Every structure is written in C-alpha cells, then in structure tokens.
C-alpha cells in the first residue's frame, strides 16, 4: 500500500461562492492546483463529440466504456496525464479535485485517477449534480487508483471534489469506492485536502454507514459525522497544514461575504501568507482557475485560466464557450506518442520536456522578476494591465455593455494568450 510521508506534497484549495455570498447573481468557482514544482500544466480545449456504440476510451492508465455524446470542455491539466486538475464544460459545470487520505487504504493498483474522474464528469454531466452522479457511478464500477505524479516512486491518494454550476455547488468526498456529498445552495464554501463533511450529508453511498460500523469506526447509533468517522486518527504533517489552509480560506471567504467577485477570488488564490498560494520546497501552485457562472442562462459563463505557475505572478485570461473556441497552441505541451514515459512499462523511468511556449516565456519572466528589479516590475505591471483588460471585457459583457460578437468571444482566450506571450518577448 502506498503511504504519504510527512514531506510529501499534497495540497490544493478550491472555493465557491453561491448567491447571496456573491456580489453579482452568479456562482463563482476558484481553484489553485498545487503540484510538484517542475510539473507543467497545459490548457486543453476538447470539442463536443458523438461516439459509436461499443467505443472504448483510454484514460491515464485504464480504458472505460465511452458514452454516445460528450460535451465540450476546457481543462487545466498536468501535461503527462489524460484527466485534469480543474476545468469546465459548455453547460457551465466546473470541477476541482483535492488529494485526501482516510481510514480506507490507498492501493497502488492502476484504476481511474481522481483527475480522470473529473474530466469524465465534465464531459458527461450537464449539471453539477449530474456530474457528481457520473463520478460516483464510475467509482463504483472502476474504482480509483494509480500514481498521481510523474515519478517512478508511487504517490497515490483518494479524492475530494468541488462541483459547481449556475445554480448550486456540491462537495463530494470519497474514501475508496465510498463517498458522501453535501449540497451548497447558498453561501461560500472551500475544501483543502481533508474531509470536511460532518453530519450535513445530502447524499451518500448506500453502504457507507454499514461499512463504517463493520470496521468498528462507528457504533451504529446516533448522529453520523463523515469527517469524524473516516478521517485518519493520526494525520500526516501535510494534512495538519491543510487544516490551517482550510481555516484561512474560510476566513478569507467570510470577510467578503455578500461581495465576492472574480477578482476577489483571484486575490484569495494569490494569498501567500496562508499557504493558499503555495511555494514550498519541491512544491508550488502550478496553475489556477476562476469561473463566473451567471444565474441568467442568457449570459455566458466565463472561465479565467493562468496556464502558468504562481498566480501572484501570472495572468488570469478569460475563456468563453462560443463560436470559434478552439485549442490555443501556445498553452499545449508537446506529445511523445508511444515513447511517452507514462505509456512505457515500467512507467516513468525517463523524463521529457513538457514545457509549452507560454510556460517557457513565463519562466523567463519569473527569472527577471526575481533578479532584475526594474525589468521585473515592468513585466509585473504588464501582467496586471493585461488581466485588468480581461476583467473589464467580462464586466462589459455581463452588464450587456458593448458585448463583442460571438466570434470574438470564442477567440478571447487566444487573444489574451498572444498578448501575454508578446509581453514576455
């Protein structure tokens, strides 16, 4: 069984604001993806698709049955795997996942990664609740497992998820094939690498309580607290640190209750003091995402993605599912076919350079920010100005002021990626 050692990196933070916590009539979703320091995260657009009966789908490690129809998705994902750390679909469903360890053992056997489950749910779920059912159904059939980093030393975990759409959010927390879910219909909520659902359970695996009772974790009478029953008695150091981040994130949300905006969420993701903006040894925030999901179905959902590490020195760029939306080559990593270390057996015995063009330019910019004060300040100001330009475009769009034509909206992300790339050259 794979275990988590005290210095093993295992942090992420997800946030959601559901009216009346939001400043506008919209659900606002956010996530920092904290991963191994040198791991590259790419932004991938996958169009909607129709699939023949009996089609098989290759995920990171295993195949699953394909469905007849899949939705268009935008994904922020570690470039070596099939799934994603966070993303959205054409129906305004957003999902982020987190690593978690519970009393249920984590095996090294290859199954679906939590990141695979996330992508499958986005491709198949038209609402947050429907996406949740996709995940729990696949968990029951295929299970979750396999190494979650590009390294010959296995690093395995179970997953929690934050799912959101235009009307509500769900927290889904798993322990092997077992799970509990909490519905969020108002207010703000965050998750941070630990179980957080107590007695307020909206849905659960049918064998959740009987299994806990059989293991001697719950007496079978009185209230059932999922977090208390399934959390490890002795928490690894990293999970203790996650508790502090969870409390800090909750406090940052509470300070903005009733006034939470996309920009406010970006500021939370940039908060270094709390550890939410991670930069610790071999670990850092490798990509970030903020989404605005208006209650009005006539208004488009807007998804801001960085495609680069450290949100405090990155640009959140707007993506909209509209006519002309397509893959942006500057944020797509190179591929290595059958020779990719994730596909050769044994896996991960060699390393490849997965840096995409924007990542390379951003690396140079980070070096200047750290080593050349004047030039670095100029670059950081260019980043701020570019991000503000994107926020203003979205503000005009959501207030019906000078809305660009659909073709321009579909190419918005491409345009901002190109502007950022030019700033670095």
């Amino acid at each position: 069984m794979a275990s988590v050692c005290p210095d093993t990196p295992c942090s992420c933070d997800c946030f959601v604001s559901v009216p009346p916590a939001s400043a506008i009539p919209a659900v606002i979703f956010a996530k920092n993806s904290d991963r191994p320091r040198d791991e590259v995260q790419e932004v991938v657009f996958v169009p909607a698709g129709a699939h023949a009966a009996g089609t098989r789908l290759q995920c990171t490690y295993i195949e699953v049955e394909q469905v007849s129809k899949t939705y268009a998705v935008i994904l922020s994902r570690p470039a070596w795997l099939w799934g994603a750390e966070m993303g959205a679909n054409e129906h305004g469903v957003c999902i982020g996942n987190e690593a978690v360890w519970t009393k249920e053992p984590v095996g090294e056997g290859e199954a679906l990664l939590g990141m695979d489950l996330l992508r499958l749910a986005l491709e198949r779920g038209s609402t947050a609740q429907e996406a949740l059912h996709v995940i729990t159904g696949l968990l029951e059939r295929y299970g979750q497992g396999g190494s979650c980093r590009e390294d010959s030393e296995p690093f395995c975990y179970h997953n929690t998820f934050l799912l959101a759409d235009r009307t509500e959010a769900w927290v889904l927390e798993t322990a092997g094939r077992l799970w509990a879910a909490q519905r969020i219909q108002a207010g703000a909520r965050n998750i941070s690498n630990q179980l957080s659902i107590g007695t307020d359970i909206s849905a659960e695996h049918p064998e959740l309580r009987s299994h806990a009772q059989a293991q001697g974790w719950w007496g079978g009478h009185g209230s059932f607290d999922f977090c208390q029953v399934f959390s490890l008695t002795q928490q690894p150091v990293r999970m203790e640190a996650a508790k502090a981040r969870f409390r800090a994130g909750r406090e940052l949300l509470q300070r903005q209750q009733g006034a939470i905006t996309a920009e406010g969420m970006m500021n939370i993701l940039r908060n270094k003091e709390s550890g939410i903006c991670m930069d610790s040894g071999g670990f850092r925030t490798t990509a970030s995402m903020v989404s605005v999901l208006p209650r009005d179905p006539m208004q488009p959902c807007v998804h801001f993605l960085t495609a680069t590490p450290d949100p405090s020195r990155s640009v959140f760029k707007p993506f909209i599912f509209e006519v002309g939306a397509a893959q942006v080559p500057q944020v797509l990593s190179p591929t290595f076919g059958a020779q990719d270390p994730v596909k050769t057996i044994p896996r991960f015995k060699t390393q490849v350079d997965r840096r995409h063009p924007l990542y390379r330019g951003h690396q140079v910019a980070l070096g200047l920010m750290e080593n050349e004060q004047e030039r670095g300040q100029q670059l950081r100001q260019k980043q701020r100005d570019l991000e503000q330009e994107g926020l203003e475009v979205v503000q005009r769009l959501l207030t019906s002021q000078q809305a660009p034509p659909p073709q321009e909206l579909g190419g918005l992300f491409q345009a901002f990626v190109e502007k950022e790339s030019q700033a670095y050259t």
Side-chain angles (χ1 to χ4, degrees):
M1 184 184 76
S3 60
V4 54
C5 60
D7 59 349
T8 298
C10 52
S11 58
C12 283
D13 295 278
C14 292
F15 303 86
V16 71
S17 171
V18 180
S22 307
I24 60 174
V27 173
I28 304 175
F29 169 92
K31 181 184 176 182
N32 266 355
S33 173
D34 301 337
R35 301 280 302 169
R37 186 174 194 83
D38 295 327
E39 185 178 79
V40 177
Q41 209 155 134
E42 60 183 350
V43 173
V44 179
F45 172 76
V46 184
H51 312 281
T55 301
R56 303 287 295 176
L57 175 64
Q58 178 64 50
C59 300
T60 301
Y61 297 127
I62 69 167
E63 286 187 350
V64 300
E65 289 184 4
Q66 182 58 287
V67 293
S68 60
K69 179 182 178 181
T70 51
Y71 303 124
V73 296
I74 188 76
L75 307 169
S76 186
R77 72 178 189 186
W80 63 270
L81 52 77
W82 180 85
E85 275 278 296
M86 51 200 169
N89 71 19
E90 61 182 291
H91 294 287
V93 178
C94 297
I95 311 177
N97 80 310
E98 309 255 345
V100 70
W101 291 265
T102 71
K103 291 176 182 175
E104 280 295 294
V106 178
E108 295 179 16
E110 293 183 347
L112 289 173
L113 296 178
M115 293 169 279
D116 293 338
L117 290 164
L118 185 154
R119 175 174 173 176
L120 289 163
L122 287 174
E123 291 186 342
R124 302 178 181 194
S126 62
T127 67
Q129 187 172 21
E130 194 173 293
L132 183 149
H133 291 153
V134 170
I135 292 174
T136 57
L138 290 166
L139 261 183
E140 186 67 27
R141 183 166 185 181
Y142 297 102
Q144 58 181 320
S147 184
C148 300
R149 68 178 174 188
E150 192 176 12
D151 194 286
S152 57
E153 183 66 27
F155 173 53
C156 308
Y157 51 74
H158 292 158
N159 292 266
T160 64
F161 302 87
L162 183 60
L163 309 93
D165 59 27
R166 291 178 182 269
T167 62
E168 64 182 10
W170 286 81
V171 174
L172 171 63
E173 300 183 339
T174 73
R177 282 182 163 83
L178 303 173
W179 55 272
Q182 181 185 21
R183 192 176 198 173
I184 314 297
Q185 294 180 296
R189 183 73 153 83
N190 62 309
I191 59 174
S192 299
N193 299 112
Q194 59 179 340
L195 298 181
S196 61
I197 298 175
T199 58
D200 187 9
I201 300 173
S202 306
E204 64 187 72
H205 188 284
E207 298 174 7
L208 182 70
R209 302 187 189 212
S210 60
H211 178 81
Q213 189 173 5
Q215 296 295 317
W217 302 335
W218 180 56
H221 302 287
S223 64
F224 180 83
D225 186 312
F226 176 71
C227 174
Q228 188 176 72
V229 170
F230 275 86
S231 291
L232 290 166
T233 305
Q234 291 187 322
Q235 300 278 5
V237 173
R238 277 280 180 180
M239 292 187 73
E240 289 294 338
K243 290 182 181 179
R245 288 200 335 276
F246 175 76
R247 289 193 296 267
R250 183 175 57 191
E251 182 179 335
L252 289 167
L253 287 173
Q254 287 174 345
R255 288 180 192 172
Q256 301 183 43
Q257 279 279 1
I260 297 173
T261 62
E263 195 168 7
M265 282 294 200
M266 292 173 190
N267 290 334
I268 289 175
L269 297 184
R270 287 173 166 142
N271 189 291
K272 287 185 176 289
E273 182 181 359
S274 64
I276 291 169
C277 183
M278 172 69 65
D279 191 353
S280 176
F283 212 50
R284 68 174 171 181
T285 299
T286 55
S288 304
M289 172 178 166
V290 173
S291 294
V292 180
L293 316 174
R295 286 277 171 89
D296 183 353
M298 300 304 294
Q299 293 184 329
C301 297
V302 184
H303 313 284
F304 294 88
L305 302 110
T306 62
T308 55
D310 187 354
S312 71
R313 296 181 291 177
S314 286
V315 179
F316 283 91
K317 299 166 285 292
F319 174 92
I320 297 176
F321 287 94
E322 244 324 339
V323 177
Q327 178 62 53
V328 175
Q330 294 96 324
V331 293
L332 189 64
S333 294
T335 57
F336 301 91
Q339 302 308 309
D340 195 302
V342 72
K343 295 180 180 177
T344 57
I345 304 297
R347 304 190 197 276
F348 308 126
K349 292 301 182 183
T350 59
Q351 293 185 331
V352 291
D353 187 351
R354 301 189 188 275
R355 292 176 298 169
H356 52 70
L358 183 65
Y359 186 98
R360 290 175 180 272
H362 185 261
Q363 278 191 307
V364 174
L366 286 183
L368 290 171
M369 290 178 197
E370 292 169 359
N371 301 313
E372 297 186 27
Q373 184 175 3
E374 184 176 352
R375 181 87 166 98
Q377 287 176 347
Q378 292 172 351
L379 278 172
R380 186 66 192 103
Q381 189 59 51
K382 285 183 178 180
Q383 288 182 327
R384 293 191 190 99
D385 292 344
L386 183 57
E387 183 172 286
Q388 187 60 39
E389 182 183 343
L391 286 165
E392 289 173 1
V393 168
V394 171
Q395 175 67 18
R396 291 195 299 270
L397 178 64
L398 297 181
T399 55
S400 301
Q401 299 174 9
Q402 303 174 349
Q407 294 84 350
E408 188 175 328
L409 292 178
L412 206 56
F413 188 65
Q414 170 83 62
F416 276 87
V417 169
E418 289 177 354
K419 289 180 181 181
E420 184 180 1
S421 298
Q422 290 167 4
Y424 299 152
T425 57

